């Protein structure tokens, strides 16, 4: 039922969004590299090659960025996480690690949590 294009998801996504409900999609990207890191790495290497080879690095960068976004959070791709008209943000993390710590010993703040809290606080302020 959760495969892209399934009748369940098609029906679910065709329903109107609830009125007066602020919505935000937070998508995870599990790749260790973000778009800027890929570009910086390629820029450092690109300078050592001829103009023809530099164009190949531009193509490689495009593929690496697409692949990073395609991985998404390891379960959901960034492309399939969007819904028309709903804002979204991306964070570094897997499907689980973007909202929780995997071990009890880990004290980091999962990257989606500040965004969730910020969003909830802005809704509360608007509703006052």
């Amino acid at each position: 039922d959760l495969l892209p294009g399934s009748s369940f998801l098609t029906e679910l996504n065709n329903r109107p969004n609830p009125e007066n409900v602020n919505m935000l999609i937070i998508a995870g990207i599990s790749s260790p590299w973000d778009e800027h890191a890929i570009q910086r790495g390629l820029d450092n290497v690109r300078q050592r090659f001829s103009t023809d080879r530099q164009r190949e690095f531009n193509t490689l960068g495009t593929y690496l960025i697409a692949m990073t976004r395609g991985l998404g959070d390891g379960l959901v791709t960034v492309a399939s996480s969007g819904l028309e008209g709903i804002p979204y943000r991306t964070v570094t993390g897997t499907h689980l690690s973007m909202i929780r710590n995997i071990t009890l010993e880990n004290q980091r703040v999962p990257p989606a949590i500040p965004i969730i809290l910020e969003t909830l606080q802005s809704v509360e302020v608007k509703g006052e």
Side-chain angles (χ1 to χ4, degrees):
D1 285 345
L2 296 178
L3 290 174
S6 71
S7 58
F8 170 74
L9 286 180
T10 300
E11 182 181 329
L12 182 66
N13 290 333
N14 283 331
R15 295 188 315 187
N17 293 330
E19 292 184 30
N20 300 319
V21 175
N22 291 336
M23 297 193 308
L24 172 68
I25 295 167
I26 303 173
I29 299 178
S30 61
S31 171
W33 310 291
D34 64 16
E35 190 170 332
H36 300 293
I38 291 169
Q39 290 299 341
R40 278 193 311 272
L42 290 175
D43 288 344
N44 289 336
V45 174
R46 185 183 295 118
Q47 300 167 4
R48 302 178 192 154
F49 293 91
S50 68
T51 304
D52 288 340
R53 289 285 186 195
Q54 288 180 13
R55 280 190 283 259
E56 291 174 12
F57 279 100
N58 292 339
T59 302
L60 177 61
T62 301
Y63 288 137
L64 287 172
I65 291 166
M67 185 177 73
T68 296
R69 294 199 168 275
L71 289 173
D73 64 14
L75 185 61
V76 179
T77 65
V78 173
S80 69
S81 68
L83 292 173
E84 190 174 328
I86 307 299
Y88 79 92
R89 296 187 44 195
T90 58
V91 297
T92 301
T94 66
H95 198 70
L96 289 178
S97 71
M98 66 183 198
I99 59 168
R100 63 174 284 224
N101 290 325
I102 304 304
T103 65
L104 294 175
E105 297 79 29
N106 194 328
Q107 297 298 309
R108 76 177 178 97
V109 175
I113 299 301
I115 296 170
I116 294 167
L117 294 175
E118 172 189 309
T119 302
L120 289 172
Q121 288 171 345
S122 71
V123 170
E124 289 175 3
V125 169
K126 288 179 187 175
E128 289 181 356

